[in-house]
Amino acid sequence: MAGNFVDRNTNQNGCGVRENASFTLNTVDRHAVAYDARHHCLGGEVSGTLQAKGEGGWSLNYINPVLQPLPENAVGIDLYNGAVTGNTAATLTKKNDGTSSGPEVAQRKTPDWIVRRLIPLECGRLQGFPDGWAEIEPLTDLRELPFWRKVYAKDCEIKGKKPNRKIMQADSEEGGRALMRWHDGLHSMAAEYAMWGNGMALPNALFFVKSAFRELGKPPGEVKLGSLFDGSGTMPLCAAMCGGHPVWASEIEPYPIAVTKTHLPNMKHLGSVTDIKGFLIEPVDIITFGSPCQDLSIAGKRAGLDGARSGLFWEAVRIIWEMLLATGGKYPRFVIWENVPGALSSNKGKDFEVVLNELLHLREFAGGRADQSILQHGKWGGFANYGAVAYRIVNAQHWGIPQRRRRVYAVCDTSGESAGVVVFERKGTEWNFEPCIPQGKEVAGLTADCYSWHDRMVASKPSGGGATWSVHNENPQRM
């Protein structure tokens, strides 16, 4: 596998072959799973080995290419080159009708281990998402064309690409068809790998959102959530799971936008954070944001909050205080920030000090008192509670899914001292992941059995990364 199958020197991406927890998903490594073929039924010739395609996607190779020694005097019959005798068989192939062609051998031994790359479906499960979440609906509604043309133009602008003239023809039927073809081609395996690698683990996010819902003290159906840097739609889905309303989201990548428009059809998309005015958008009770982590991550160049991508943190803060000023400090009540643990050590810890204080100072825009600044004293620990602001590092493998994914969550209570109550479990808090898709129109495009994988492979096993359960312990053909 390209990337590191064993650990990187950062100690962040797994430690070799493990039975309980997967590597941390990202967009750099090609994560793999190893099967013990001696004790798992893989369905005869099915090995599940993944092959690279020219366009960068991946597909299952259902014929195991591992070469096995032949017994003494065994003969391999090569239908193309005649009979051959030796210790190694040539490549095996298989026709669609089940008949064999090409090399045939007298005996083929099953390998002890099979290693293949994770398929996108498994990556989604490792993040705790329902099956089918990565699917997108074809673009057929002509009323949606202006929205998607703006998304396309913005994507070209950000990535420095020259827009396709035909797609940009808003007044032509041919231009509409070209735009539809572009939209319907957004879902590739490469795009899905990137979305999962950049995304949040749903169980962790759900805990913090559910805790914020509880502390708001209002009926769940009245709670509204807005998501900045939305990505795969983790936070809006959490709001829907809690019985609330994901009102709006900000995202610039076309494929994740298509995903959330498919499954959260009532949620408004606001575009880039740089174009949003907090005093013009609908007020919400909770604003969540996982500002880009590339400049904070220990796997990056550590440019910190001054970096071009992680520096977008300031845009999110601006939007929040603009909303607070416009609503007399009433909205939002809670702000939830998520990022990589490298944020705690970026710029020798000074960047995280800035993050905590910027969250703390939001209270001033809510009409509250000027709180004393939070100061760094040595290395930041794994958690802290400052009353109005609190943070905590969590690891997804202990929250109901078998993936080692450490993230830091920081919460600000803009008008109270309940941040610590949201961040930490209180007596009676149920934090084990129990996924449930709400009935009604809030979430669409999922089947009734979209979480059957969880019931079958996780819920019935010990929590906390037990040594015998995994989202991989199935024949890939059955997934």
Side-chain angles (χ1 to χ4, degrees), residues 7-225:
D7 203 4
R8 278 205 231 150
N9 57 10
T10 59
N11 295 314
Q12 292 293 309
N13 287 323
C15 47
V17 178
R18 302 177 64 189
E19 294 179 348
N20 56 345
S22 174
F23 304 100
T24 301
L25 295 178
N26 57 37
T27 58
V28 178
D29 295 324
R30 296 175 180 173
H31 307 286
V33 58
Y35 285 93
D36 184 347
R38 298 163 298 182
H39 302 105
H40 288 75
C41 178
L42 296 181
E45 269 96 19
V46 179
S47 71
T49 303
L50 290 170
Q51 290 183 329
K53 291 183 178 178
E55 69 271 19
W58 293 77
S59 65
L60 281 173
N61 169 22
Y62 289 108
I63 302 303
N64 181 12
V66 177
L67 302 180
Q68 298 288 342
L70 296 178
E72 187 176 357
N73 298 322
V75 176
I77 304 173
D78 187 336
L79 300 183
Y80 300 104
N81 301 309
V84 294
T85 303
N87 292 327
T88 304
T91 303
L92 296 175
T93 60
K94 188 174 183 180
K95 292 182 179 178
N96 291 333
D97 60 5
T99 62
S100 296
S101 65
E104 295 180 353
V105 296
Q107 180 178 347
R108 184 164 64 91
K109 179 184 176 184
T110 301
D112 291 340
W113 287 91
I114 295 174
V115 179
R116 62 170 177 80
R117 192 186 182 191
L118 294 176
I119 62 176
L121 177 65
E122 291 169 316
C123 294
R125 289 175 175 180
L126 285 174
Q127 295 286 49
F129 276 77
D131 286 351
W133 186 260
E135 301 300 322
I136 64 175
E137 288 185 344
L139 178 57
T140 57
D141 189 346
L142 299 181
R143 294 170 297 180
E144 289 289 310
L145 294 183
F147 169 82
W148 281 108
R149 192 166 279 110
K150 289 181 180 179
V151 172
Y152 172 77
K154 189 68 176 180
D155 184 57
C156 290
E157 175 189 338
I158 292 173
K159 296 176 181 176
K161 300 184 297 184
K162 184 178 180 180
N164 182 288
R165 186 174 59 181
K166 186 178 294 184
I167 291 178
M168 295 304 296
Q169 291 176 351
D171 56 350
S172 75
E173 185 176 333
E174 187 178 2
R177 288 196 298 267
L179 180 61
M180 290 177 180
R181 288 193 297 270
W182 169 80
H183 169 277
D184 296 348
L186 289 174
H187 186 190
S188 67
M189 299 188 83
E192 191 173 341
Y193 277 127
M195 183 181 74
W196 294 133
N198 285 322
M200 303 179 194
L202 183 65
N204 294 150
L206 183 60
F207 169 80
F208 294 102
V209 172
K210 185 182 294 186
S211 297
F213 266 63
R214 181 192 64 224
E215 294 307 310
L216 283 168
K218 59 168 66 175
E222 298 179 9
V223 177
K224 298 179 180 180
L225 178 143

Side-chain angles (χ1 to χ4, degrees), residues 332-337 355-364 366 368-374 384-391 409-424:
R333 167 70 188 279
F334 289 110
V335 176
I336 302 176
W337 176 79
V355 168
L356 294 179
N357 282 294
E358 288 299 322
L359 294 176
L360 184 66
H361 293 159
L362 289 173
R363 290 164 54 83
E364 299 176 24
R369 60 183 173 84
D371 293 88
Q372 185 175 357
S373 296
I374 299 170
N385 181 9
Y386 303 98
V389 172
Y391 78 88
Y409 282 81
V411 173
C412 172
D413 182 352
T414 62
S415 60
E417 300 285 330
S418 298
V421 184
V422 173
V423 169
F424 302 102

Side-chain angles (χ1 to χ4, degrees), residues 176-432:
R177 288 196 298 267
L179 180 61
M180 290 177 180
R181 288 193 297 270
W182 169 80
H183 169 277
D184 296 348
L186 289 174
H187 186 190
S188 67
M189 299 188 83
E192 191 173 341
Y193 277 127
M195 183 181 74
W196 294 133
N198 285 322
M200 303 179 194
L202 183 65
N204 294 150
L206 183 60
F207 169 80
F208 294 102
V209 172
K210 185 182 294 186
S211 297
F213 266 63
R214 181 192 64 224
E215 294 307 310
L216 283 168
K218 59 168 66 175
E222 298 179 9
V223 177
K224 298 179 180 180
L225 178 143
S227 173
L228 302 172
F229 311 102
D230 186 51
S232 58
T234 310
M235 291 299 192
L237 178 56
C238 289
M241 284 180 162
C242 293
H245 302 288
V247 176
W248 50 256
S250 168
E251 177 56 49
I252 57 173
E253 283 293 330
Y255 170 60
I257 294 174
V259 168
T260 50
K261 281 188 73 69
T262 294
H263 301 297
L264 300 167
N266 299 320
M267 185 171 71
K268 186 176 181 179
H269 288 261
L270 305 180
S272 171
V273 292
T274 59
D275 300 327
I276 298 173
K277 306 299 181 186
F279 50 81
L280 296 178
I281 60 179
E282 182 175 355
V284 292
D285 300 283
I286 305 169
I287 289 182
T288 64
F289 70 108
S291 48
C293 64
Q294 291 92 336
D295 298 315
L296 300 176
S297 173
I298 55 179
K301 295 182 179 180
R302 309 309 301 273
L305 291 178
D306 292 330
R309 291 171 290 187
S310 296
L312 291 171
F313 168 85
W314 302 108
E315 295 289 349
V317 170
R318 172 190 57 79
I319 292 168
I320 296 168
W321 64 250
E322 284 177 348
M323 182 178 290
L324 286 168
L325 287 174
T327 61
K330 187 176 181 180
Y331 298 104
R333 167 70 188 279
F334 289 110
V335 176
I336 302 176
W337 176 79
E338 177 268 356
N339 221 285
V340 294
L344 277 69
S345 58
S346 176
N347 194 20
K348 298 182 179 180
K350 290 298 181 182
D351 283 339
F352 191 59
E353 181 180 274
V354 170
V355 168
L356 294 179
N357 282 294
E358 288 299 322
L359 294 176
L360 184 66
H361 293 159
L362 289 173
R363 290 164 54 83
E364 299 176 24
F365 297 99
R369 60 183 173 84
D371 293 88
Q372 185 175 357
S373 296
I374 299 170
L375 300 178
Q376 178 185 7
H377 299 286
K379 291 185 178 181
W380 295 101
F383 61 89
N385 181 9
Y386 303 98
V389 172
Y391 78 88
R392 174 184 184 181
I393 293 179
V394 294
N395 192 331
Q397 71 170 315
H398 303 307
W399 294 66
I401 52 173
Q403 182 198 170
R404 181 183 180 218
R405 190 176 192 84
R406 297 173 68 246
R407 290 296 184 268
V408 57
Y409 282 81
V411 173
C412 172
D413 182 352
T414 62
S415 60
E417 300 285 330
S418 298
V421 184
V422 173
V423 169
F424 302 102
E425 300 102 321
R426 66 180 186 181
K427 189 175 182 180
T429 297
E430 179 61 47
W431 61 266
N432 279 329

